[in-house]
Amino acid sequence: MPVVARKALKPRTKPAEIRREDILRAATALFIAKGVGTTTIDEIATRAEVAKGTFYLYFASKEDVVAALRERFVTGFRDRIHRAIGACPADDWTARLKSFVQAGIAAYLDEYQLHDVVFHDHRPDQRRMKGDNPLLGDLSSLLASGTRAGAWSVDHPDLAAIVLFNGLHGTVDHAIEHGILDGGGLAENLSALFLRMLRPD
Amino acid sequence: MPVVARKALKPRTKPAEIRREDILRAATALFIAKGVGTTTIDEIATRAEVAKGTFYLYFASKEDVVAALRERFVTGFRDRIHRAIGACPADDWTARLKSFVQAGIAAYLDEYQLHDVVFHDHRPDQRRMKGDNPLLGDLSSLLASGTRAGAWSVDHPDLAAIVLFNGLHGTVDHAIEHGILDGGGLAENLSALFLRMLRPD
Amino acid sequence: MPVVARKALKPRTKPAEIRREDILRAATALFIAKGVGTTTIDEIATRAEVAKGTFYLYFASKEDVVAALRERFVTGFRDRIHRAIGACPADDWTARLKSFVQAGIAAYLDEYQLHDVVFHDHRPDQRRMKGDNPLLGDLSSLLASGTRAGAWSVDHPDLAAIVLFNGLHGTVDHAIEHGILDGGGLAENLSALFLRMLRPD
Amino acid sequence: MPVVARKALKPRTKPAEIRREDILRAATALFIAKGVGTTTIDEIATRAEVAKGTFYLYFASKEDVVAALRERFVTGFRDRIHRAIGACPADDWTARLKSFVQAGIAAYLDEYQLHDVVFHDHRPDQRRMKGDNPLLGDLSSLLASGTRAGAWSVDHPDLAAIVLFNGLHGTVDHAIEHGILDGGGLAENLSALFLRMLRPD
DNA sequence: TATGAATGAGCTTTCATTCAT
DNA sequence: TATGAATGAAAGCTCATTCAT
């Protein structure tokens, strides 16, 4: 009777981080393909090549997975925008705003499917977390700083930030719906519109 | 004890429209209170004082109810705005835009709970119906007309309409989240912001 | 305001026998097309252009309809065979048996769909009614009479009747399954086989 | 009280084959007792001492269970007949045929309840599978071989096989209906009848 | 006699979660 | 850490039947 290995072939234990990643990746693909509600834990586990029980070793529930993906989405989105803005001269406010718009549109167009998954709340208390959107603060700061620097003029930076952010969001939604994927032209027009809003009297 | 009544109390058969209304009302209350997903047909039927089978006599599924409510919500919302605009002098474009904003905010604040229920799609193809939003067309027309009349200036009325509408929407969302229910002040500031955007160069 | 007729157009009341027939006809078509179990009372009523409640005025249940159809099927089947036999010379036993076979096959091929409907019992006590099959008695008598007349020889007419009847039944079933619809050839071969069984030693 | 056991008593996990068997056994008993249509999955699960969900781990539906039982019934039935025939001298054709009849009757009498359950199709396309009956082929071969060996004479072995098989089937049905459970005498008479049919001219 | 709105018991099926191994 | 068989609550939907008109 052979005593040796046999299990060396398929290491039953992977580093936890990898496992988690496997599951997250599998879930993302399925959520995008068939929606969160329709995807079963079973399917996620199968696709991640993991037993159903193992899933629960890493996540408490399906919603927990969605939350993790949301976290990651928001961070990634924000980083991307920050990187774009960071590439602009510190005192070129118009460029910074344009970068915000351009990077925001591009990032959204790239990942709107994940966005939909991740912001498709099922709970009635959805009205709690949106306020946490850190981009609103970023944008508000940008507007306020530009105003202070005399680049433009805004009375209520918070309000303007909300309008700009939602305007951008809605514009991309509209573009996606209508199959327009030319983010460049979109960014151009949108920036122009936003800058009109910021013109001093 | 009156002998006459007896049947007046519990008419087995009600006019279809009333029955439908009963069910719709019951569903609305439950959807708002505990979410669409968590509400069962059973609960709706019980609350509407109707047998489960009767529910299916009037609606094909829970989603069918949501669709009916959505229809009604959209129509009501739009009517309210139209009524407000209609009360303004036909050539006072600024007043018309302000009315749009004010009525939109008020209507949304009044009914955002129903709004949430009704736009909480479960399907992954949510990206189909939003474009049907007739208010976008209304707003775009308003902007274009005002431009033609020389009241203000817009390069891309459709784009501007999207930004305004989503800006308004997002602003109210934000207000609700933060417990601000002073629609008046909100409308004031928002209109001012929008009008800045429309100023000719 | 016209007071006249209005109802003369569509006489709400049809003679009971007609109504019953309408329902029976509708049920038959549906049962054949989609099976008894799958057909709903609603469908029968709709097809018969009658209200659901009216259905219950004429039949106590779906099974009651099936029973009525069965009754009718059996009677018709038997009549057809009797007519065929009756057309033969009273003392030509071979011809009478052949007629039985031929008419039986023809009738079955013509109406096997209804046969299937009508003998597709759902109850576990199916083992009760088959014995009522009057054709077995008819056939047994025929065999006994022929034997007494010296045309052939049978030890146990009842047993032989069962074998012949079921043999015939099974043969047609087989033919139908295999798409053979030439009843003539079938009857020829089957009669020959049966007559071999009846040959005296 | 033994302390060791505890888990031996109610092993949460049983070998799949045993579980399947438990369910099949429970279903059979219920189907026989109250019919397939009337038996609910719930009842089967309860009787098999299994959760309802577990049922669906092993079978896709009630019909799936019936199909499994049918499969098993047909195989068992055929095996039994083959065993009986196999016990006869290879060249004693009469004995072989008698064995077929005798074993067929005995097997059917023993298991007609299961037979009824298993062949109580609900679908309108019942006319598809019967032809698959492998016993017809077996019987046809037997008849042809006996003919070739000069033991008897048959013109159309396939047709004769159908008649014999259905004759046998119908005879037992009749016997059951009338409470005759003496398979022996039945076999005697039936074999005699069949052999008459096979006599050379 | 005829209607058809209303009933509600009852069935199948799904799936998140547990837990013995 | 990993497994996956087992669980069982929960929910949607159907349809035979009733009954007030």
Side-chain angles (χ1 to χ4, degrees), chain D residues 56-76:
Chain D
Y56 284 96
L57 238 36
Y58 290 87
F59 297 95
S61 67
K62 203 159 61 176
E63 267 315 302
D64 195 20
V65 177
V66 174
L69 290 175
R70 181 160 44 225
E71 174 91 30
R72 166 182 297 208
F73 174 85
V74 170
T75 307

Side-chain angles (χ1 to χ4, degrees), chain C residues 121-181:
Chain C
D121 286 328
H122 291 246
R123 293 140 313 178
D125 53 349
Q126 50 163 324
R127 299 215 160 263
R128 213 158 280 168
M129 272 210 7
K130 242 189 194 161
D132 290 330
N133 182 352
L135 279 171
L136 282 182
D138 300 342
L139 189 48
S140 181
S141 301
L142 176 59
L143 295 176
S145 303
T147 297
R148 268 196 305 277
W152 53 54
S153 153
V154 194
D155 286 340
H156 303 282
D158 284 350
L159 181 65
I162 293 171
V163 170
L164 294 205
F165 181 81
N166 283 281
L168 188 156
H169 199 296
T171 299
V172 182
D173 283 340
H174 190 263
I176 292 167
E177 279 166 54
H178 293 77
I180 302 164
L181 300 177

Side-chain angles (χ1 to χ4, degrees), chain A residues 130-149:
Chain A
K130 242 189 194 159
D132 290 328
N133 181 352
L135 279 172
L136 281 181
D138 299 342
L139 189 48
S140 181
S141 300
L142 176 58
L143 295 177
S145 302
T147 298
R148 269 195 306 278

Side-chain angles (χ1 to χ4, degrees), chain C residues 32 73 77 105 107-120 168-181, chain D residues 70 119-133 166:
Chain C
I32 286 177
F73 174 85
F77 196 88
I105 289 175
Y108 193 16
L109 278 177
D110 279 2
E111 304 222 65
Y112 72 91
Q113 295 189 111
L114 181 53
H115 168 278
D116 288 353
V117 160
V118 130
F119 285 110
H120 213 5
L168 188 156
H169 199 296
T171 299
V172 182
D173 283 340
H174 190 263
I176 292 167
E177 279 166 54
H178 293 77
I180 302 164
L181 300 177
Chain D
R70 181 160 44 225
F119 284 109
H120 214 11
D121 286 330
H122 292 245
R123 294 141 310 178
D125 53 349
Q126 49 162 322
R127 298 213 161 264
R128 213 157 283 169
M129 271 209 8
K130 242 189 194 160
D132 290 328
N133 182 351
N166 284 280

